[in-house]
Amino acid sequence: RGLPYRTITALEVLGTTAAVAVFGPRALQGSPARGKVMMAGMTDSQAGSSSTAKGTSSCFPLCLVQMELSVQLERYEALLENEWVPRTMNEESDAISNLDFRGFSPDLRWAESGGDVGFIVLPALQAAATDFYA
């Protein structure tokens, strides 16, 4: 229902947020480094790239996801550069979204479930928004 691009952009930024939450601790584990961390990503969504660069949104549900992403980045003192690339450069991401893992080594796979991602504020924000709209 409504404008599909809003949902699609929110889902793409949610994927970016989940990646920061899951890979952030692993990338920094045991590291003596201090200071700012630079995280880089690629997306074939110009709206998603623009949204993460801006760091905020008034569109629902994207605003909730943006708040979680901001908290995650602050947690790691990280900057995120989410570069736009043509769709042809992002075929691996499309394969994963279609549950096609043939191009990926099973030895490098981490088992994660939605409850293990490590979201900080998103569950509470989502609950509050649900109550508000009800």
Side-chain angles (χ1 to χ4, degrees):
R1 293 184 352 201
L3 302 172
Y5 70 88
R6 282 189 172 181
T7 303
I8 292 167
T9 301
L11 288 172
E12 289 181 349
V13 176
L14 179 62
T16 299
T17 304
V20 170
V22 170
F23 295 117
R26 287 184 170 96
L28 299 173
Q29 192 172 34
S31 171
R34 295 289 180 257
K36 295 284 182 195
V37 174
M38 182 65 180
M39 296 182 175
M42 294 184 291
T43 180
D44 58 17
S45 164
Q46 289 182 338
S49 177
S50 173
S51 176
T52 55
K54 190 169 60 167
T56 185
S57 174
S58 59
C59 298
F60 182 84
L62 180 57
C63 59
L64 303 183
V65 179
Q66 282 290 69
M67 285 185 247
E68 178 68 36
L69 179 58
S70 295
V71 169
Q72 291 287 343
L73 292 171
E74 182 180 35
R75 171 194 227 178
Y76 301 115
E77 295 186 40
L79 305 172
L80 175 66
E81 182 69 32
N82 207 13
E83 178 184 352
W84 177 83
V85 295
R87 185 172 262 316
T88 55
M89 298 282 296
N90 211 12
E91 292 174 355
E92 293 89 353
S93 178
D94 287 339
I96 290 172
S97 67
N98 291 316
L99 303 177
D100 178 2
F101 304 107
R102 289 176 290 177
F104 302 91
S105 170
D107 297 335
L108 299 176
R109 191 172 189 174
W110 291 330
E112 297 288 339
S113 68
D116 296 337
V117 171
F119 291 137
I120 300 168
V121 297
L122 188 58
L125 291 171
Q126 186 176 5
T130 300
D131 289 346
F132 176 76
Y133 280 103

